[in-house]
Coordinates of all heavy atoms in Angstrom, one line a residue:
M182 N -19.9 7.3 -9.3 CA -20.8 6.8 -8.2 C -20.1 5.6 -7.5 O -19.2 5.0 -8.0 CB -22.0 6.2 -8.9 CG -23.2 7.1 -8.8 SD -24.7 6.3 -9.6 CE -25.2 5.3 -8.2
V183 N -20.6 5.4 -6.3 CA -19.9 4.4 -5.5 C -20.5 3.0 -6.0 O -21.6 2.8 -6.1 CB -20.3 4.6 -4.0 CG1 -19.8 3.4 -3.2 CG2 -19.6 5.9 -3.5
C184 N -19.5 2.1 -6.2 CA -19.8 0.8 -6.7 C -20.7 0.0 -5.6 O -20.4 0.1 -4.4 CB -18.6 0.0 -7.0 SG -18.8 -1.6 -7.5
T185 N -21.7 -0.7 -6.1 CA -22.5 -1.5 -5.2 C -22.4 -3.0 -5.6 O -23.1 -3.8 -5.0 CB -24.0 -1.1 -5.3 OG1 -24.4 -1.1 -6.7 CG2 -24.2 0.3 -4.7
S186 N -21.5 -3.3 -6.5 CA -21.3 -4.7 -6.9 C -20.0 -5.3 -6.4 O -19.8 -5.6 -5.3 CB -21.6 -4.9 -8.4 OG -20.6 -4.2 -9.1
V187 N -19.0 -5.3 -7.3 CA -17.8 -6.0 -7.0 C -16.9 -5.2 -6.1 O -16.5 -5.8 -5.0 CB -17.0 -6.3 -8.4 CG1 -15.7 -7.0 -8.1 CG2 -17.8 -7.1 -9.3
K188 N -16.6 -4.0 -6.4 CA -15.8 -3.2 -5.5 C -16.6 -2.3 -4.6 O -16.6 -1.1 -4.6 CB -14.9 -2.3 -6.3 CG -13.8 -3.0 -7.2 CD -13.0 -2.1 -8.0 CE -12.1 -2.8 -8.9 NZ -11.5 -1.9 -9.9
E189 N -17.5 -2.9 -3.8 CA -18.4 -2.2 -2.9 C -17.7 -1.2 -2.1 O -16.7 -1.4 -1.4 CB -19.1 -3.3 -2.1 CG -20.6 -2.9 -1.9 CD -21.3 -3.9 -1.1 OE1 -21.0 -5.1 -1.1 OE2 -22.2 -3.5 -0.4
G190 N -18.3 0.0 -2.1 CA -17.8 1.1 -1.3 C -16.8 2.0 -2.0 O -16.4 3.0 -1.5
Y191 N -16.3 1.6 -3.2 CA -15.4 2.3 -4.0 C -16.0 3.2 -5.0 O -16.9 2.7 -5.7 CB -14.3 1.4 -4.6 CG -13.2 1.0 -3.7 CD1 -13.4 0.0 -2.7 CD2 -12.0 1.7 -3.8 CE1 -12.4 -0.3 -1.9 CE2 -11.0 1.4 -2.9 CZ -11.2 0.4 -1.9 OH -10.2 0.1 -1.1
D192 N -15.6 4.4 -5.1 CA -16.1 5.3 -6.1 C -15.6 4.9 -7.4 O -14.4 4.7 -7.6 CB -15.7 6.8 -5.7 CG -16.6 7.8 -6.4 OD1 -17.6 7.4 -7.0 OD2 -16.2 9.0 -6.4
C193 N -16.5 4.8 -8.4 CA -16.1 4.3 -9.7 C -16.7 5.1 -10.8 O -17.9 5.4 -10.8 CB -16.4 2.8 -9.9 SG -15.8 2.2 -11.4
F194 N -15.9 5.3 -11.9 CA -16.4 6.1 -13.0 C -17.5 5.3 -13.8 O -18.4 5.9 -14.4 CB -15.2 6.3 -13.9 CG -15.5 6.9 -15.3 CD1 -15.7 8.3 -15.3 CD2 -15.5 6.2 -16.4 CE1 -15.9 8.9 -16.5 CE2 -15.8 6.8 -17.6 CZ -16.0 8.2 -17.7
F195 N -17.5 4.0 -13.7 CA -18.4 3.2 -14.5 C -19.7 2.9 -13.8 O -20.6 2.4 -14.5 CB -17.7 1.9 -14.9 CG -16.6 2.0 -15.9 CD1 -15.3 1.9 -15.4 CD2 -16.8 2.3 -17.2 CE1 -14.2 2.1 -16.3 CE2 -15.7 2.4 -18.1 CZ -14.4 2.3 -17.6
M196 N -19.8 3.3 -12.6 CA -21.0 3.0 -11.8 C -22.1 4.1 -12.2 O -21.8 5.3 -12.2 CB -20.7 3.0 -10.3 CG -21.8 2.3 -9.5 SD -21.9 0.5 -10.0 CE -23.5 0.1 -9.4
S197 N -23.3 3.6 -12.4 CA -24.4 4.6 -12.7 C -25.6 4.1 -12.0 O -25.7 3.1 -11.4 CB -24.6 4.7 -14.2 OG -25.4 3.6 -14.6
K198 N -26.7 4.9 -12.1 CA -27.9 4.6 -11.4 C -28.5 3.3 -11.9 O -29.2 2.5 -11.3 CB -29.0 5.7 -11.6 CG -28.7 6.9 -10.7 CD -29.8 7.9 -10.8 CE -29.4 9.2 -10.1 NZ -29.5 10.4 -10.9
K199 N -28.1 3.0 -13.2 CA -28.6 1.7 -13.8 C -27.7 0.5 -13.5 O -27.9 -0.5 -14.0 CB -28.7 1.9 -15.3 CG -29.8 2.8 -15.8 CD -29.9 2.7 -17.3 CE -30.1 4.1 -17.9 NZ -29.5 4.3 -19.2
G200 N -26.6 0.8 -12.8 CA -25.7 -0.3 -12.4 C -24.4 -0.1 -13.1 O -24.1 1.0 -13.7
C201 N -23.5 -1.1 -13.1 CA -22.2 -0.9 -13.7 C -22.3 -0.9 -15.2 O -22.9 -1.7 -15.9 CB -21.4 -2.1 -13.3 SG -19.7 -2.1 -14.0
Q202 N -21.7 0.1 -15.8 CA -21.7 0.3 -17.3 C -20.5 -0.2 -18.0 O -20.3 0.0 -19.2 CB -21.8 1.8 -17.6 CG -23.1 2.5 -17.0 CD -24.4 1.9 -17.6 OE1 -24.5 2.0 -18.8 NE2 -25.2 1.3 -16.8
F203 N -19.6 -0.8 -17.2 CA -18.4 -1.4 -17.8 C -18.7 -2.6 -18.7 O -19.7 -3.3 -18.4 CB -17.4 -1.7 -16.8 CG -16.0 -2.1 -17.4 CD1 -15.3 -1.2 -18.0 CD2 -15.6 -3.4 -17.3 CE1 -14.1 -1.5 -18.6 CE2 -14.4 -3.8 -17.8 CZ -13.6 -2.8 -18.5
N204 N -17.9 -2.8 -19.7 CA -18.1 -3.9 -20.6 C -18.3 -5.2 -19.8 O -17.4 -5.7 -19.1 CB -16.8 -4.0 -21.4 CG -16.8 -5.1 -22.4 OD1 -17.9 -5.6 -22.8 ND2 -15.7 -5.6 -22.9
G205 N -19.5 -5.8 -20.0 CA -19.8 -7.0 -19.3 C -20.5 -6.8 -18.0 O -21.0 -7.7 -17.3
G206 N -20.6 -5.5 -17.6 CA -21.4 -5.2 -16.4 C -20.7 -5.5 -15.1 O -21.3 -5.4 -14.0
T207 N -19.4 -5.7 -15.1 CA -18.6 -6.0 -13.9 C -17.2 -5.8 -14.2 O -16.7 -5.8 -15.3 CB -18.9 -7.4 -13.4 OG1 -18.1 -7.6 -12.2 CG2 -18.6 -8.4 -14.4
C208 N -16.4 -5.6 -13.1 CA -15.0 -5.6 -13.2 C -14.4 -7.0 -13.5 O -15.1 -8.0 -13.2 CB -14.3 -5.1 -11.9 SG -14.4 -3.4 -11.7
H209 N -13.2 -7.1 -14.0 CA -12.6 -8.4 -14.2 C -11.5 -8.6 -13.2 O -10.7 -7.6 -12.9 CB -12.1 -8.5 -15.7 CG -13.3 -8.3 -16.6 ND1 -14.0 -9.4 -17.1 CD2 -13.8 -7.2 -17.2 CE1 -15.0 -8.9 -17.9 NE2 -14.9 -7.6 -18.0
T210 N -11.3 -9.8 -12.8 CA -10.2 -10.0 -11.8 C -8.8 -9.8 -12.4 O -8.7 -9.8 -13.6 CB -10.3 -11.5 -11.3 OG1 -10.5 -12.4 -12.4 CG2 -11.5 -11.7 -10.3
V211 N -7.9 -9.7 -11.5 CA -6.5 -9.5 -11.9 C -6.0 -10.7 -12.6 O -6.5 -11.8 -12.4 CB -5.6 -9.1 -10.7 CG1 -5.9 -7.7 -10.2 CG2 -5.6 -10.1 -9.7
I212 N -4.9 -10.6 -13.4 CA -4.4 -11.7 -14.1 C -3.0 -12.1 -13.5 O -2.5 -11.4 -12.6 CB -4.3 -11.5 -15.6 CG1 -3.4 -10.2 -15.9 CG2 -5.6 -11.3 -16.2 CD1 -3.0 -10.1 -17.3
E213 N -2.4 -13.1 -14.0 CA -1.2 -13.6 -13.4 C -0.1 -12.6 -13.4 O 0.7 -12.4 -12.4 CB -0.7 -14.8 -14.3 CG -0.1 -15.9 -13.5 CD 0.3 -17.1 -14.4 OE1 -0.6 -17.6 -15.1 OE2 1.5 -17.3 -14.5
Q214 N 0.0 -11.8 -14.4 CA 1.1 -10.7 -14.5 C 0.9 -9.7 -13.4 O 1.9 -9.0 -13.1 CB 1.1 -10.0 -15.9 CG 1.6 -10.8 -17.0 CD 0.5 -11.6 -17.7 OE1 -0.4 -12.1 -17.1 NE2 0.6 -11.6 -19.0
C215 N -0.3 -9.5 -12.9 CA -0.5 -8.5 -11.8 C 0.1 -8.9 -10.5 O 0.2 -8.1 -9.6 CB -2.0 -8.3 -11.7 SG -2.8 -7.6 -13.1
S216 N 0.3 -10.2 -10.3 CA 0.7 -10.7 -9.0 C 1.9 -10.0 -8.4 O 3.0 -9.9 -9.1 CB 1.0 -12.2 -9.2 OG 1.9 -12.7 -8.3
G217 N 1.7 -9.4 -7.2 CA 2.8 -8.6 -6.6 C 2.5 -7.2 -6.7 O 3.2 -6.4 -6.0
C218 N 1.6 -6.7 -7.5 CA 1.3 -5.3 -7.6 C 0.5 -4.8 -6.4 O -0.4 -5.5 -5.9 CB 0.5 -5.1 -8.9 SG 0.0 -3.4 -9.1
E219 N 0.8 -3.6 -6.0 CA 0.1 -3.0 -4.8 C -1.3 -2.5 -5.1 O -2.0 -2.2 -4.1 CB 1.0 -1.9 -4.2 CG 2.1 -2.4 -3.4 CD 3.1 -1.3 -3.0 OE1 2.7 -0.1 -3.0 OE2 4.3 -1.7 -2.7
N220 N -1.6 -2.5 -6.3 CA -3.0 -2.0 -6.6 C -4.0 -3.1 -6.6 O -5.2 -2.8 -6.8 CB -3.0 -1.3 -8.0 CG -2.2 -0.1 -8.0 OD1 -2.2 0.7 -7.1 ND2 -1.3 0.1 -9.0
I221 N -3.6 -4.3 -6.3 CA -4.6 -5.4 -6.1 C -5.3 -5.3 -4.8 O -4.6 -5.0 -3.8 CB -3.9 -6.7 -6.2 CG1 -3.2 -6.9 -7.6 CG2 -4.9 -7.9 -6.0 CD1 -2.4 -8.2 -7.7
K222 N -6.6 -5.4 -4.8 CA -7.3 -5.4 -3.6 C -8.2 -6.7 -3.6 O -8.9 -7.0 -4.6 CB -8.2 -4.1 -3.5 CG -9.1 -4.1 -2.3 CD -8.7 -3.0 -1.3 CE -9.7 -2.8 -0.2 NZ -9.6 -3.7 0.9
T223 N -8.2 -7.4 -2.5 CA -9.0 -8.6 -2.4 C -10.4 -8.2 -1.9 O -10.6 -7.6 -0.8 CB -8.4 -9.6 -1.5 OG1 -7.1 -9.8 -1.9 CG2 -9.1 -10.9 -1.5
F224 N -11.4 -8.5 -2.7 CA -12.8 -8.3 -2.3 C -13.4 -9.7 -2.1 O -12.9 -10.7 -2.5 CB -13.5 -7.6 -3.4 CG -13.1 -6.1 -3.5 CD1 -12.0 -5.8 -4.3 CD2 -13.8 -5.1 -2.9 CE1 -11.6 -4.4 -4.4 CE2 -13.4 -3.8 -3.0 CZ -12.3 -3.5 -3.7
P225 N -14.6 -9.7 -1.5 CA -15.2 -11.1 -1.2 C -15.4 -11.9 -2.5 O -15.4 -13.1 -2.5 CB -16.6 -10.7 -0.6 CG -16.4 -9.4 0.0 CD -15.4 -8.7 -0.9
T226 N -15.5 -11.1 -3.6 CA -15.8 -11.8 -4.9 C -14.5 -12.2 -5.7 O -14.5 -12.8 -6.7 CB -16.6 -10.9 -5.8 OG1 -16.2 -9.6 -5.7 CG2 -18.1 -11.0 -5.4
G227 N -13.3 -11.8 -5.1 CA -12.1 -12.1 -5.8 C -11.1 -11.0 -5.7 O -11.3 -10.0 -5.0
D228 N -9.9 -11.1 -6.4 CA -8.9 -10.0 -6.4 C -9.1 -9.1 -7.6 O -9.1 -9.6 -8.8 CB -7.5 -10.7 -6.5 CG -7.2 -11.5 -5.2 OD1 -7.9 -11.2 -4.2 OD2 -6.2 -12.3 -5.3
Y229 N -9.2 -7.8 -7.3 CA -9.4 -6.9 -8.4 C -8.4 -5.7 -8.3 O -7.8 -5.4 -7.3 CB -10.8 -6.3 -8.3 CG -11.9 -7.3 -8.6 CD1 -12.4 -8.0 -7.5 CD2 -12.3 -7.5 -9.9 CE1 -13.4 -9.0 -7.8 CE2 -13.3 -8.4 -10.1 CZ -13.8 -9.2 -9.1 OH -14.8 -10.1 -9.4
C230 N -8.1 -5.1 -9.5 CA -7.2 -4.0 -9.5 C -8.0 -2.7 -9.1 O -9.2 -2.6 -9.6 CB -6.7 -3.8 -11.0 SG -5.8 -2.3 -11.2
L231 N -7.4 -1.9 -8.3 CA -8.1 -0.7 -7.9 C -8.1 0.4 -8.9 O -8.9 1.4 -8.9 CB -7.5 -0.1 -6.6 CG -7.8 -0.9 -5.3 CD1 -7.1 -0.3 -4.1 CD2 -9.3 -1.1 -5.1
I232 N -7.3 0.3 -10.0 CA -7.2 1.3 -11.0 C -8.0 0.9 -12.3 O -8.7 1.7 -12.8 CB -5.8 1.6 -11.3 CG1 -5.0 2.1 -10.0 CG2 -5.7 2.7 -12.4 CD1 -3.6 2.2 -10.2
F233 N -7.7 -0.3 -12.7 CA -8.3 -0.7 -14.0 C -9.4 -1.8 -13.9 O -9.2 -2.8 -13.2 CB -7.2 -1.2 -15.0 CG -6.1 -0.2 -15.2 CD1 -4.9 -0.4 -14.7 CD2 -6.4 1.0 -15.9 CE1 -3.9 0.5 -14.9 CE2 -5.4 1.9 -16.0 CZ -4.1 1.7 -15.5
P234 N -10.5 -1.6 -14.5 CA -11.6 -2.6 -14.4 C -11.3 -3.9 -15.1 O -11.8 -4.9 -14.8 CB -12.8 -1.9 -15.0 CG -12.4 -0.6 -15.6 CD -10.9 -0.4 -15.3
D235 N -10.4 -3.8 -16.1 CA -10.0 -5.1 -16.8 C -8.5 -5.1 -17.0 O -8.0 -4.7 -18.0 CB -10.7 -5.1 -18.2 CG -10.6 -6.4 -18.9 OD1 -9.9 -7.3 -18.3 OD2 -11.2 -6.6 -19.9
P236 N -7.8 -5.7 -16.0 CA -6.3 -5.7 -16.0 C -5.8 -6.4 -17.3 O -4.7 -6.0 -17.7 CB -6.0 -6.5 -14.8 CG -7.2 -6.3 -13.9 CD -8.3 -6.2 -14.8
S237 N -6.4 -7.4 -17.8 CA -5.9 -8.1 -19.0 C -5.6 -7.2 -20.1 O -4.7 -7.4 -20.9 CB -6.8 -9.3 -19.4 OG -8.0 -8.8 -19.8
V238 N -6.4 -6.1 -20.3 CA -6.2 -5.2 -21.3 C -4.9 -4.4 -21.2 O -4.2 -4.1 -22.1 CB -7.4 -4.1 -21.3 CG1 -7.2 -3.0 -22.3 CG2 -8.7 -4.9 -21.7
K239 N -4.5 -4.1 -19.9 CA -3.3 -3.4 -19.6 C -2.1 -4.2 -20.0 O -1.0 -3.6 -20.1 CB -3.3 -3.0 -18.1 CG -4.3 -2.1 -17.7 CD -4.4 -0.8 -18.5 CE -3.2 0.0 -18.4 NZ -3.2 1.2 -19.3
W240 N -2.2 -5.5 -20.1 CA -1.0 -6.3 -20.4 C -1.0 -6.8 -21.8 O -0.1 -7.5 -22.2 CB -1.0 -7.5 -19.4 CG -0.7 -7.1 -18.0 CD1 -1.6 -6.7 -17.0 CD2 0.6 -6.9 -17.4 NE1 -0.9 -6.4 -15.9 CE2 0.4 -6.5 -16.1 CE3 1.9 -7.1 -17.9 CZ2 1.5 -6.3 -15.3 CZ3 3.0 -6.9 -17.1 CH2 2.8 -6.4 -15.8
R241 N -2.1 -6.5 -22.6 CA -2.2 -7.1 -23.9 C -1.1 -6.6 -24.8 O -0.6 -7.3 -25.7 CB -3.6 -6.7 -24.5 CG -4.0 -7.7 -25.5 CD -5.5 -7.5 -25.8 NE -6.4 -8.0 -24.9 CZ -7.7 -7.7 -24.7 NH1 -8.2 -6.8 -25.5 NH2 -8.4 -8.3 -23.8
T242 N -0.7 -5.3 -24.6 CA 0.3 -4.8 -25.5 C 1.6 -4.4 -24.8 O 2.4 -3.6 -25.3 CB -0.2 -3.5 -26.2 OG1 -0.7 -2.6 -25.1 CG2 -1.4 -3.8 -27.1
G243 N 1.9 -5.1 -23.7 CA 3.1 -4.9 -23.0 C 2.9 -4.8 -21.5 O 1.8 -5.2 -21.1
N244 N 3.8 -4.2 -20.8 CA 3.6 -4.1 -19.3 C 2.6 -3.1 -18.9 O 2.5 -2.0 -19.6 CB 4.9 -3.8 -18.6 CG 5.9 -4.9 -18.8 OD1 5.6 -6.0 -19.1 ND2 7.2 -4.6 -18.5
C245 N 1.9 -3.3 -17.9 CA 0.9 -2.4 -17.3 C 1.7 -1.1 -16.8 O 2.7 -1.3 -16.1 CB 0.1 -3.0 -16.2 SG -0.9 -1.8 -15.3
N246 N 1.2 0.1 -17.2 CA 2.0 1.3 -16.9 C 1.8 1.7 -15.4 O 2.5 2.6 -14.9 CB 1.6 2.4 -17.8 CG 0.1 2.7 -17.8 OD1 -0.7 1.9 -17.5 ND2 -0.3 4.0 -18.1
M247 N 0.8 1.1 -14.7 CA 0.6 1.4 -13.3 C 1.1 0.4 -12.4 O 0.8 0.5 -11.2 CB -0.9 1.7 -13.1 CG -1.4 3.0 -13.8 SD -0.5 4.5 -13.3 CE -1.3 4.7 -11.6
A248 N 1.7 -0.6 -12.9 CA 2.2 -1.8 -12.0 C 3.2 -1.3 -11.0 O 4.1 -0.6 -11.4 CB 2.7 -2.9 -12.9
T249 N 3.1 -1.6 -9.8 CA 4.0 -1.2 -8.7 C 5.1 -2.2 -8.5 O 6.1 -1.9 -7.9 CB 3.3 -1.0 -7.4 OG1 2.8 -2.2 -7.0 CG2 2.2 0.1 -7.5
H250 N 5.0 -3.4 -9.1 CA 6.0 -4.4 -8.9 C 7.0 -4.5 -10.1 O 7.8 -5.4 -10.2 CB 5.4 -5.8 -8.7 CG 4.4 -6.2 -9.8 ND1 3.4 -5.4 -10.3 CD2 4.3 -7.4 -10.5 CE1 2.8 -6.0 -11.2 NE2 3.3 -7.2 -11.4
L251 N 7.0 -3.5 -10.9 CA 7.9 -3.5 -12.1 C 8.8 -2.2 -12.0 O 9.3 -1.7 -13.1 CB 7.1 -3.4 -13.4 CG 6.2 -4.6 -13.7 CD1 5.4 -4.4 -14.9 CD2 7.1 -5.9 -13.8
Q252 N 9.1 -1.8 -10.8 CA 9.9 -0.5 -10.7 C 11.2 -0.6 -11.5 O 11.6 0.4 -12.1 CB 10.2 -0.3 -9.2 CG 9.1 0.0 -8.3 CD 8.3 1.3 -8.7 OE1 8.9 2.1 -9.4 NE2 7.1 1.4 -8.3
E253 N 11.9 -1.7 -11.5 CA 13.2 -1.8 -12.1 C 13.1 -1.5 -13.6 O 13.9 -0.7 -14.1 CB 13.7 -3.3 -12.0 CG 15.0 -3.3 -11.4 CD 15.4 -4.7 -11.0 OE1 15.9 -5.4 -12.0 OE2 15.3 -5.1 -9.9
T254 N 12.1 -2.1 -14.3 CA 12.0 -1.9 -15.7 C 11.6 -0.4 -16.0 O 12.1 0.2 -17.0 CB 11.0 -2.8 -16.4 OG1 10.0 -3.1 -15.5 CG2 11.7 -4.1 -16.8
T255 N 10.8 0.2 -15.2 CA 10.3 1.5 -15.4 C 11.5 2.5 -15.2 O 11.7 3.4 -16.0 CB 9.3 1.9 -14.3 OG1 8.4 0.8 -14.2 CG2 8.5 3.2 -14.7
T256 N 12.4 2.2 -14.3 CA 13.5 3.1 -14.1 C 14.5 3.0 -15.3 O 15.0 4.0 -15.8 CB 14.3 2.6 -12.8 OG1 13.4 2.3 -11.8 CG2 15.2 3.7 -12.3
K257 N 14.7 1.8 -15.8 CA 15.5 1.6 -16.9 C 15.0 2.4 -18.1 O 15.8 3.0 -18.9 CB 15.6 0.1 -17.3 CG 16.7 -0.6 -16.6 CD 16.8 -2.1 -17.0 CE 17.4 -2.9 -15.9 NZ 17.0 -4.3 -16.0
R258 N 13.7 2.4 -18.3 CA 13.1 3.1 -19.4 C 13.3 4.6 -19.3 O 13.6 5.2 -20.2 CB 11.6 2.8 -19.5 CG 11.1 2.4 -20.9 CD 9.6 2.1 -20.9 NE 9.3 0.8 -20.4 CZ 8.2 0.5 -19.8 NH1 7.4 1.4 -19.4 NH2 8.0 -0.8 -19.4
N259 N 13.2 5.1 -18.1 CA 13.5 6.5 -17.8 C 14.9 6.9 -18.2 O 15.1 8.0 -18.7 CB 13.2 6.9 -16.4 CG 11.7 6.9 -16.1 OD1 10.9 6.9 -17.1 ND2 11.3 6.9 -14.9
V260 N 15.8 6.0 -17.8 CA 17.2 6.3 -18.1 C 17.5 6.5 -19.6 O 18.2 7.3 -20.0 CB 18.1 5.2 -17.5 CG1 19.6 5.4 -17.9 CG2 18.0 5.3 -16.0
K261 N 16.7 5.6 -20.3 CA 16.9 5.7 -21.8 C 16.3 7.0 -22.4 O 16.8 7.5 -23.3 CB 16.1 4.5 -22.4 CG 17.0 3.3 -22.7 CD 16.2 2.3 -23.4 CE 16.8 0.9 -23.1 NZ 15.8 -0.2 -23.4
I262 N 15.2 7.5 -21.8 CA 14.6 8.7 -22.3 C 15.4 9.9 -22.0 O 15.5 10.8 -22.8 CB 13.1 8.8 -21.7 CG1 12.3 7.7 -22.3 CG2 12.5 10.1 -22.0 CD1 11.0 7.5 -21.5
N263 N 16.0 9.9 -20.8 CA 16.7 11.1 -20.4 C 17.8 11.6 -21.3 O 17.9 12.8 -21.6 CB 17.2 11.0 -18.9 CG 16.0 11.1 -18.0 OD1 14.9 11.7 -18.4 ND2 16.1 10.6 -16.8
P264 N 18.7 10.7 -21.7 CA 19.8 11.2 -22.6 C 19.2 11.8 -23.9 O 19.8 12.8 -24.4 CB 20.6 9.9 -22.9 CG 20.2 9.0 -21.9 CD 18.9 9.3 -21.4
L265 N 18.1 11.3 -24.4 CA 17.5 11.9 -25.6 C 17.1 13.3 -25.3 O 17.3 14.2 -26.1 CB 16.2 11.1 -25.9 CG 16.4 10.0 -27.0 CD1 15.0 9.3 -27.1 CD2 16.8 10.6 -28.3
K266 N 16.4 13.5 -24.2 CA 16.0 14.9 -23.8 C 17.2 15.8 -23.7 O 17.2 16.9 -24.2 CB 15.2 14.9 -22.5 CG 13.8 14.6 -22.6 CD 13.1 14.7 -21.3 CE 11.7 14.2 -21.3 NZ 11.2 14.0 -19.9
A267 N 18.2 15.3 -23.1 CA 19.4 16.1 -22.9 C 20.0 16.5 -24.3 O 20.5 17.7 -24.4 CB 20.5 15.3 -22.1
S268 N 20.1 15.6 -25.2 CA 20.7 15.9 -26.5 C 19.8 16.9 -27.3 O 20.3 17.8 -28.0 CB 20.9 14.7 -27.3 OG 19.7 14.1 -27.7
K269 N 18.5 16.8 -27.0 CA 17.6 17.8 -27.7 C 17.9 19.2 -27.2 O 17.9 20.2 -27.9 CB 16.2 17.4 -27.4 CG 15.5 16.7 -28.5 CD 14.0 16.6 -28.3 CE 13.4 15.5 -29.1 NZ 12.2 15.0 -28.6
R270 N 18.1 19.3 -25.9 CA 18.3 20.6 -25.2 C 19.6 21.2 -25.8 O 19.7 22.4 -26.0 CB 18.4 20.4 -23.7 CG 17.2 21.0 -23.0 CD 17.3 20.8 -21.5 NE 16.3 19.9 -21.1 CZ 16.5 18.9 -20.3 NH1 17.7 18.6 -19.8 NH2 15.5 18.1 -19.9
K271 N 20.6 20.4 -26.0 CA 21.9 20.9 -26.5 C 21.8 21.5 -27.9 O 22.4 22.5 -28.2 CB 22.9 19.7 -26.5 CG 23.8 19.7 -25.2 CD 24.8 18.6 -25.3 CE 24.9 17.8 -24.0 NZ 25.5 16.5 -24.2
S272 N 21.0 20.8 -28.7 CA 20.9 21.3 -30.1 C 20.1 22.6 -30.3 O 20.2 23.2 -31.3 CB 20.3 20.2 -31.0 OG 19.0 20.0 -30.6
H273 N 19.4 23.0 -29.2 CA 18.6 24.3 -29.4 C 19.5 25.5 -29.1 O 20.4 25.5 -28.3 CB 17.4 24.2 -28.4 CG 16.3 23.4 -29.0 ND1 15.6 23.9 -30.1 CD2 15.9 22.2 -28.7 CE1 14.7 22.9 -30.4 NE2 14.9 21.9 -29.6
Ligands
SF4_1089 S1 -2.1 -1.6 -11.8 FE1 -1.7 -2.9 -13.5 S2 -0.4 -4.6 -12.7 FE2 -1.3 -3.6 -11.0 S3 -3.1 -4.8 -10.5 FE3 -3.8 -3.1 -11.9 S4 -3.6 -3.9 -13.9 FE4 -2.5 -5.3 -12.6

């Protein structure tokens, strides 16, 4: 349903006829680590992530997997994974 509270006008999974069903009844603002990410949108009530209702959860156990400002580290991680895949293919 389309959000009528914090992210007004945005279709959201947590919105229902009874209101926002997300933990706490509202989205949570972005945190310091999000700064620079393209998924941040400024609403009259503050800066929110367009993907995750609670950005702090995405950073609790490491980097957010949808962050757009961490391209460098994501690329490095892919480079590490690829040789593994290649060696698996060789052994078959
Ligand atoms: S995608 Fe991740 S880093 Fe970007 S604003 Fe959302 S929670 Fe923050």
Side-chain angles (χ1 to χ4, degrees):
M182 258 181 86
V183 173
C184 178
T185 53
S186 58
V187 182
K188 294 178 185 170
E189 220 179 324
Y191 275 80
D192 199 11
C193 181
F194 176 77
F195 293 103
M196 200 63 199
S197 80
K198 280 183 192 131
K199 284 187 227 145
C201 178
Q202 299 296 301
F203 187 67
N204 183 22
T207 178
C208 281
H209 299 270
T210 45
V211 292
I212 57 168
E213 221 179 295
Q214 285 96 319
C215 296
S216 151
C218 180
E219 281 170 21
N220 293 318
I221 298 174
K222 173 114 173 85
T223 306
F224 289 88
T226 41
D228 290 346
Y229 293 90
C230 172
L231 287 180
I232 303 172
F233 304 112
D235 190 357
S237 64
V238 170
K239 295 306 295 176
W240 289 94
R241 207 168 279 162
T242 52
N244 291 345
C245 171
N246 58 332
M247 291 303 283
T249 60
H250 56 313
L251 298 174
Q252 292 300 339
E253 234 172 81
T254 34
T255 317
T256 320
K257 269 182 207 154
R258 227 179 278 147
N259 285 345
V260 171
K261 266 186 208 160
I262 292 164
N263 286 339
L265 263 177
K266 272 187 192 162
S268 66
K269 259 188 199 160
R270 248 177 251 135
K271 263 183 225 160
S272 64
H273 280 289

